[in-house]
Amino acid sequence: MSETYRFNVGAFECLVMKVGGNPRSAAAFLPDAPPDELERTVREFNGDPNLLPFSMNVVLVRTGTNNVLIDTGLPTSDVVSKLAEQGVVAGTVDTIIITHGHGDHVGGILDAAGEFVYPNARYIIWKSEWDFWTADERFPEGDTNPTRTTWETLKANQDRVTTLGIVGTEAEALPGICAIAAPGHTIGHTALLIESNGEKLLHIADAAHQPFQMAHPEWCPGFDYEKSISPDSRRKLFERAAKENALLLAYHFEFPGIGRVVEREGKLGWQAGN
């Protein structure tokens, strides 16, 4: 059996699936952070600077009305088999929310033949992220980016796609699921606030990759597209989770990626689990 974790947000049933990820060193992850301070901070968060866990956590939310998949992993992640182990057939997934366009989030949309893995799903994405990946100049002739086929196929099937964020920084994706603009990691990177019966889950996707970034949101990994604004997105999401006492889930935190942001002596800390 694959690594899976079930929990509820109010009446919503949530399933987290670990679909990949390999450990890496803190120095490789944050090459611009001061080495001594980086090591100290990682250890303060009970981590090993030489072996940071780096999971890939795909989430299924069953609202009672919709079966919502948040991101799809890599082409090799085989989310379909992991769902089947839990009694969920790919054809029953009716909504896929794309938090951003990197390959480890959209790589599972198509199969090897270029067909939709989830035949009955519609796709929801922030408009600026959609515009970035589907721009005519994004993939010039000969570009070997593995996501090229995915974006060209989605662009050719725009009737399946709903874009959000035309106005404002928050927009309802589905009843109980609100998309929140959290740019920086990518142009239109999106977080999600999931609410049911007074309970909340803040899914921050790739706004942060490690809990210790709570202590230093200004530390940016090399794969943040816009390092001038990603720290502000990180900081706001961490502070919101603490203020609203919401569960927080991150795509790359150690599986299952869930915990709470707690304030201790004026500083934010991480309490794993729900």
Side-chain angles (χ1 to χ4, degrees), residues 3-259:
E3 292 185 88
T4 58
Y5 184 84
R6 291 179 177 271
F7 67 102
N8 286 357
V9 177
F12 293 175
E13 299 175 358
C14 300
L15 172 70
V16 186
M17 297 164 282
K18 183 178 180 180
V19 300
N22 296 305
R24 58 191 65 191
S25 73
F29 168 57
L30 295 168
D32 297 329
D36 291 345
E37 190 171 2
L38 174 59
E39 179 172 353
R40 182 171 59 254
T41 301
V42 173
R43 294 194 185 282
E44 286 174 355
F45 277 73
N46 301 313
D48 181 346
N50 298 310
L51 206 65
L52 295 178
F54 208 83
S55 185
M56 290 167 52
N57 302 312
V58 169
V59 181
L60 177 75
V61 181
R62 307 183 79 169
T63 69
T65 303
N66 300 97
N67 287 341
V68 184
L69 195 62
I70 302 173
D71 294 325
T72 64
L74 291 161
T76 55
S77 295
D78 196 12
V79 176
V80 170
S81 292
K82 293 174 174 61
L83 287 171
E85 290 174 359
Q86 303 299 315
V88 180
V89 177
T92 66
V93 174
D94 55 72
T95 307
I96 294 175
I97 299 177
I98 301 171
T99 64
H100 64 291
H102 284 161
D104 57 333
H105 295 258
V106 303
I109 289 176
L110 304 179
D111 63 19
E115 300 295 327
F116 284 107
V117 170
Y118 305 94
N120 301 313
R122 66 186 182 103
Y123 299 83
I124 299 176
I125 186 171
W126 202 257
K127 186 176 187 303
S128 58
E129 189 75 358
W130 170 261
D131 290 346
F132 176 84
W133 290 102
T134 60
D136 291 340
E137 69 276 9
R138 182 57 49 213
F139 301 110
E141 192 66 33
D143 193 311
T144 58
N145 188 315
T147 68
R148 177 178 181 173
T149 300
T150 298
W151 289 109
E152 289 179 345
T153 302
L154 286 171
K155 190 175 180 180
N157 291 269
Q158 290 191 48
D159 58 314
R160 290 176 173 258
V161 179
T162 298
T163 56
L164 302 175
I166 310 301
V167 178
T169 58
E170 299 191 11
E172 184 181 73
L174 292 166
I177 303 180
C178 178
I180 303 167
H185 180 64
T186 61
I187 306 304
H189 178 274
T190 311
L192 300 167
L193 182 65
I194 299 166
E195 296 185 80
S196 173
N197 294 346
E199 297 183 2
K200 298 181 180 182
L201 170 70
L202 186 61
H203 187 330
I204 67 170
D206 282 16
H209 295 73
Q210 295 289 332
F212 67 79
Q213 287 178 280
M214 295 173 193
H216 287 280
E218 74 278 10
W219 290 350
C220 298
F223 31 78
D224 275 2
Y225 282 18
E226 294 187 291
K227 296 179 179 60
S228 62
I229 61 175
S230 61
D232 189 51
S233 291
R234 265 190 290 282
R235 184 180 296 107
K236 286 179 178 178
L237 289 169
F238 288 145
E239 290 176 350
R240 181 169 184 169
K243 180 179 179 180
E244 299 185 14
N245 192 32
L247 275 176
L248 183 141
L249 189 150
Y251 192 80
H252 291 293
F253 281 18
E254 184 174 10
F255 175 80
I258 300 169

